[in-house]
């Protein structure tokens, strides 16, 4: 199944927003910012979330960070 750029863009915008919010939370806490700390923070959010759509978006954010995209 192929999706158009118009269909994918809102999803990537939401993934980017999740990463940005995580950066702000870590900075607010005074934690060191790195790919590892971001991925760890998001993994904790993933484990605590029961909403399937949110879990998919958080998982995409983690994969994006780990794969350097």
């Amino acid at each position: 199944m192929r999706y158009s750029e118009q269909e994918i863009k809102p999803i990537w915008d939401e993934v980017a927003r999740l990463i940005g919010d995580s950066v702000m939370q870590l900075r607010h806490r005074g934690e060191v910012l790195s790919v590892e700390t971001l991925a760890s923070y998001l993994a904790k959010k993933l484990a605590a979330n029961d909403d399937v759509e949110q879990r998919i978006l958080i998982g995409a954010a983690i994969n994006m960070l780990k794969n350097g995209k």
Side-chain angles (χ1 to χ4, degrees):
M1 179 182 272
R2 296 197 53 112
Y3 295 98
S4 71
E5 185 176 328
Q6 294 159 336
E7 292 171 309
I8 296 293
K9 186 173 181 344
I11 295 168
W12 289 123
D13 289 348
E14 183 62 19
V15 169
R17 188 195 64 75
L18 284 169
I19 293 171
D21 286 349
S22 298
V23 168
M24 290 174 39
Q25 286 296 319
L26 291 174
R27 288 189 58 87
H28 180 71
R29 294 178 182 182
E31 295 186 33
V32 176
L33 280 178
S34 69
V35 171
E36 291 80 21
T37 57
L38 277 170
S40 176
Y41 177 79
L42 286 166
K44 289 174 187 169
K45 284 185 73 167
L46 180 65
N49 201 314
D50 292 331
D51 181 353
V52 173
E53 185 176 315
Q54 277 298 112
R55 290 180 57 83
I56 291 168
L57 293 169
I58 294 168
I62 293 168
N63 287 335
M64 183 187 292
L65 288 168
K66 288 183 176 181
N67 293 328
K69 301 276 179 181

